[in-house]
């Protein structure tokens, strides 16, 4: 089964150099999390340095930063959080607004989905708010399909919470078929 060290160091896609997050990356992540538009469907507001530091610490071993191969510009991150017992990975991404609409999240997401299945996953899934159309579009481009809509309760819900959360998934057999057809 996949352990974070299995993908340590850089891996590359056509346009991205992707490397495991390090504690020294806090400034990059603070910049990313300070954009309210980036955080709209997560917290609805910019994250503090302390909140970002706690998020960074919790994500060690499950998150990779994405940089342009041409000039090293930081774009965002992609993650794969394992549930080893169930042989599943929850994937996710967060990219700077300046990188939106250019296919970087899809490119990095496709690579991390491939890594998860290569390391033995039977299922890969992603979740977001139902109203997060951009993230849902990335999920679909990755080959994930809508699995369920569910509702959570929040003390201070974000606008759109009433529409629920969605989960998209791709199973190993479907991933294998997609790989054979490309």
């Amino acid at each position: 089964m996949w352990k974070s060290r299995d993908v340590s160091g850089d891996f590359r896609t056509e346009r991205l150099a992707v490397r495991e997050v390090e504690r020294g990356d806090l400034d990059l992540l603070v910049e990313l999390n300070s954009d309210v538009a980036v955080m709209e469907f997560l917290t609805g507001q910019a994250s503090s340095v302390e909140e970002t530091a706690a998020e960074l610490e919790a994500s060690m071993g499950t998150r990779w930063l994405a940089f342009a191969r041409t000039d090293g510009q930081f774009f965002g991150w992609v993650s794969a959080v394992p549930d080893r017992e169930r042989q599943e990975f929850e994937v996710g991404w967060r990219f700077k607004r300046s990188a939106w609409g250019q296919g970087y999240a899809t490119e990095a997401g496709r690579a991390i989905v491939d890594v998860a299945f290569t390391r033995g996953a039977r299922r890969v899934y992603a979740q977001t708010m139902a109203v997060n159309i951009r993230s849902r579009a990335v999920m679909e481009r990755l080959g994930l399909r809508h699995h369920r809509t569910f509702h959570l309760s929040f003390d201070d819900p974000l606008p759109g919470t009433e529409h629920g959360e969605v989960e998209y998934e791709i199973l190993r057999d479907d991933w294998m078929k997609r790989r054979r057809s490309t």
Side-chain angles (χ1 to χ4, degrees), residues 160-175:
T161 298
E162 68 275 12
H163 299 287
E165 307 287 318
V166 291
E167 180 174 290
Y168 281 61
E169 70 175 6
I170 185 169
L171 303 177
R172 180 174 199 72
D173 288 345
D174 295 327
W175 173 78

Side-chain angles (χ1 to χ4, degrees), residues 20-34:
E20 195 168 355
V21 69
E22 301 169 354
R23 286 181 180 90
D25 295 324
L26 181 60
D27 289 346
L28 293 173
L29 298 173
V30 166
E31 177 188 351
L32 178 66
N33 289 358
S34 69

Side-chain angles (χ1 to χ4, degrees), residues 74-91:
F74 172 66
F75 289 134
W77 57 257
V78 63
S79 67
V81 178
D83 179 336
R84 287 179 177 80
E85 216 172 272
R86 297 173 64 176
Q87 292 182 291
E88 298 179 346
F89 289 84
E90 180 177 7
V91 296

Side-chain angles (χ1 to χ4, degrees), residues 2 7 11 42 59 61-64 77-83 87-95 105-119 121-129 132 135-145 166-171 175 178:
W2 179 25
V7 206
F11 64 93
L42 301 164
S59 69
T62 62
R63 192 170 288 175
W64 291 263
W77 57 257
V78 63
S79 67
V81 178
D83 179 336
Q87 292 182 291
E88 298 179 346
F89 289 84
E90 180 177 7
V91 296
W93 44 86
R94 188 177 307 159
F95 280 73
T106 301
E107 191 172 323
R110 187 168 289 123
I112 209 69
V113 166
D114 289 349
V115 167
F117 280 118
T118 300
R119 299 297 187 257
R122 68 164 197 80
R123 175 181 182 254
V124 172
Y125 69 97
Q127 296 179 343
T128 191
M129 290 180 70
N132 188 348
S135 196
R136 291 179 73 169
V138 172
M139 293 174 192
E140 291 173 4
R141 285 191 295 272
L142 295 179
L144 282 70
R145 296 293 169 242
V166 291
E167 180 174 290
Y168 281 61
E169 70 175 6
I170 185 169
L171 303 177
W175 173 78
R178 190 187 87 206

Side-chain angles (χ1 to χ4, degrees), residues 3-85:
K3 297 178 181 70
S4 64
R5 298 272 41 128
D6 292 341
V7 206
S8 62
D10 288 353
F11 64 93
R12 297 184 183 279
T13 66
E14 182 181 334
R15 300 177 297 160
L16 300 172
V18 185
R19 68 158 173 82
E20 195 168 355
V21 69
E22 301 169 354
R23 286 181 180 90
D25 295 324
L26 181 60
D27 289 346
L28 293 173
L29 298 173
V30 166
E31 177 188 351
L32 178 66
N33 289 358
S34 69
D35 186 335
V36 175
V38 170
M39 302 302 288
E40 177 181 8
F41 299 109
L42 301 164
T43 63
Q45 61 188 10
S47 296
S48 69
V49 173
E50 295 78 20
E51 290 167 330
T52 302
E55 179 185 314
L56 170 62
E57 199 59 38
S59 69
M60 298 297 291
T62 62
R63 192 170 288 175
W64 291 263
L65 301 187
F67 300 88
R69 286 180 64 176
T70 55
D71 63 6
Q73 179 183 358
F74 172 66
F75 289 134
W77 57 257
V78 63
S79 67
V81 178
D83 179 336
R84 287 179 177 80
E85 216 172 272

